[in-house]
Amino acid sequence: MTAVRWPLRLAACLVGVLLSLPGLAAPVQAQEGSLAFWLKQAWLRNPQAKSLDSRDSEAHAAQELAAGLTPEPGSLSVGALNDQLNSNRGKREVAIELNTYLWLPGQKAARQAEAESRLDEVGARRAALRLELAGELREAWWTLAAARNTVGLAARRLQTARALASEVQRRYQAGDLSRIDANLAQMETQAAEAESIDADSALLQAEHAFRALTGAPAPSSISAEQPATPDAAGASRLLPATHPQLSAAAAASRSARAKVKVAEESRRAAPEVSLIALRERADFSESYSDSVGIRLKIPFSSGALVRRESSAAQAEADYSDAEMQRVENRIELDAARARQALHAAERQYALAEQRRTLSADSLRLAEKSFALGEADLATLLRIRAASYDADTFLGRQRIARAAAISRLNQTLGVLP
């Protein structure tokens, strides 16, 4: 018998040692219980996040074009001319033309500035999208926590109701309680069962929503966030450099202004310079002669075309400026509301703790009185319902306070 137990004990010790090592079971469980871990999972599944990679490649390509020697790729033309279809005297002509475009004064610098602003805008949009996804995850996170809390309370109520119904039925059969009391106990059990069914259904929906967002089942434990400090979140001053949404709005405004500058510096199409090499002869008796020439093509400017491009770019810039101001005002108002909501949630939680303490004391006295026959069943059920309401309110306020902290962090632009 000892020889059989020894390998089992050794295996148990090894498992315990492995679980206690850093970076294994405990840290993994801690990571899965944090919002930061699940934000990474949700980010990998977000389709908009994947599209930003293409936007980033587009911006880098625009930057390479702006840094080029010419605004557009050049071209090569090859042509031949002879008189074989008519006189056929041996006239031959071969022309090779190399065409390239030239930057307008100030156009290259404007294009480079626009490309840089587009890169900045993509980065800012990525941070803003990550914050938006964090907001969706936070709501799903605390909806799941509230659903689990409701399921736990409903299960406890059902267990207590069944125990009470069993006790009442026993005393009813013994003649200590009336049939009305037995019916009341059964009705309480049925109400608890109905509430438990609703709670299970709500929990299933919350788990499905979380899985649709992250692509994985919900973790067994849910941890709360810490309130952001003013230094970390910029709570005292919501600067564009600290808030992803403000940064995205400011980057969009700079990009729109850069487009206006490009439109101002591109009042006509790019000039074209051509290098021409010509090899020809007049008839069979002559030898070939070679010649080289240069051609400069300067397109004319159209006032209506310039106004159209500049007006469109200016309209986009004005809209971006107004949108940035609107986002800044909205964030300030949302932050004020979030702080007020957190303050109210903390006060409600303190009151809920006091209410639960009083209701627990009253329930203990009522159960003792009912067991001794000093109180009727209706009084016990009423006090028990009040105690259940107090427990439910306390659980909801605990989650509401944690959710209010997450919403404040979200408003301040702080990621989990």
Side-chain angles (χ1 to χ4, degrees):
M1 189 70 175
T2 305
V4 175
R5 289 180 178 177
W6 170 248
L8 296 177
R9 292 178 180 177
L10 179 60
C13 292
L14 290 176
V15 171
V17 171
L18 289 175
L19 292 177
S20 64
L21 290 176
L24 294 179
V28 169
Q29 293 177 357
Q31 290 180 1
E32 292 184 351
S34 64
L35 275 168
F37 173 82
W38 291 106
L39 178 59
K40 296 178 181 178
Q41 304 302 316
W43 180 258
L44 295 176
R45 288 175 50 86
N46 190 272
Q48 297 184 25
K50 296 179 180 179
S51 67
L52 286 178
D53 295 336
S54 299
R55 295 290 184 184
D56 187 74
S57 299
E58 179 187 2
H60 278 93
Q63 189 179 39
E64 292 179 6
L65 289 175
L69 296 177
T70 59
E72 299 179 21
S75 62
L76 177 65
S77 301
V78 178
L81 179 66
N82 59 63
D83 59 352
Q84 289 182 353
L85 294 180
N86 43 28
S87 60
N88 195 20
R89 295 179 179 177
K91 182 178 180 180
R92 300 290 187 268
E93 181 179 313
V94 178
I96 300 177
E97 183 176 348
L98 180 62
N99 306 312
T100 186
Y101 298 93
L102 301 178
W103 288 105
L104 293 172
Q107 187 184 35
K108 183 175 182 179
R111 288 281 181 86
Q112 289 177 335
E114 182 197 9
E116 291 291 338
S117 65
R118 290 174 66 179
L119 279 174
D120 295 340
E121 184 180 3
V122 172
R125 287 178 60 186
R126 180 178 282 105
L129 180 60
R130 196 176 186 90
L131 178 64
E132 181 181 352
L133 184 61
E136 297 178 8
L137 179 63
R138 279 164 167 153
E139 292 299 325
W141 186 260
W142 293 117
T143 300
L144 177 63
R148 286 182 175 178
N149 177 72
T150 303
V151 167
L153 290 173
R156 192 175 69 178
R157 179 188 179 186
L158 179 59
Q159 181 181 5
T160 304
R162 286 174 175 173
L164 178 62
S166 178
E167 176 66 17
V168 170
Q169 185 67 23
R170 184 188 64 80
R171 293 179 62 177
Y172 164 68
Q173 294 177 355
D176 294 340
L177 295 177
S178 64
R179 185 176 178 181
I180 295 178
D181 293 335
N183 291 340
L184 288 175
Q186 290 295 328
M187 292 170 60
E188 171 66 16
T189 302
Q190 293 173 359
E193 289 179 353
E195 183 178 354
S196 178
I197 293 174
D198 292 340
D200 290 339
S201 178
L203 176 59
L204 185 61
Q205 294 179 6
E207 289 177 344
H208 285 174
F210 185 86
R211 185 160 191 166
L213 190 62
T214 62
S220 57
S221 62
I222 293 180
S223 60
E225 293 185 80
Q226 295 296 326
T229 60
D231 292 337
S236 59
R237 293 181 62 194
L238 294 177
L239 300 178
T242 60
H243 198 288
Q245 292 180 345
L246 286 177
S247 298
S253 178
R254 290 193 299 269
S255 180
R257 292 296 172 186
K259 291 180 181 178
V260 172
K261 186 64 175 177
V262 170
E264 292 176 351
E265 300 296 341
S266 303
R267 298 187 174 275
R268 58 172 55 90
E272 182 180 353
V273 174
S274 302
L275 178 62
I276 304 172
L278 182 63
R279 182 177 177 82
E280 60 181 346
R281 72 179 181 185
D283 51 37
F284 290 110
S285 62
E286 294 184 4
S287 61
Y288 282 97
S289 63
D290 299 327
S291 59
V292 178
I294 297 178
R295 180 172 60 194
L296 176 62
K297 179 181 177 181
I298 301 179
F300 292 115
S301 177
S302 173
L305 181 62
V306 171
R307 289 195 304 271
R308 186 191 68 177
E309 300 297 331
S310 299
S311 299
Q314 185 64 42
E316 184 179 353
D318 294 340
Y319 175 81
S320 299
D321 292 341
E323 180 66 16
M324 182 177 63
Q325 186 64 37
R326 188 189 68 83
V327 170
E328 185 175 0
N329 294 336
R330 178 180 59 80
I331 290 177
E332 291 177 357
L333 294 176
D334 289 347
R337 285 196 296 265
R339 291 191 185 96
Q340 184 179 4
L342 177 58
H343 180 65
E346 290 176 344
R347 294 178 59 189
Q348 290 277 23
Y349 181 73
L351 293 175
E353 285 185 325
Q354 298 175 8
R355 177 182 172 184
R356 182 179 181 276
T357 301
L358 294 176
S359 64
D361 184 61
S362 299
L363 179 60
R364 184 172 59 255
L365 296 176
E367 289 176 343
K368 184 177 180 181
S369 299
F370 178 76
L372 297 176
E374 299 177 354
D376 57 3
L377 180 61
T379 302
L380 176 61
L381 291 177
R382 177 175 54 83
I383 297 177
R384 178 166 290 177
S387 177
Y388 176 76
D389 291 341
D391 290 343
T392 303
F393 184 70
L394 177 61
R396 289 176 179 173
Q397 291 307 313
R398 181 185 296 111
I399 296 174
R401 184 183 63 172
I405 293 175
S406 293
R407 292 190 182 100
L408 179 58
N409 292 345
Q410 177 72 21
T411 305
L412 297 178
V414 179
L415 293 175

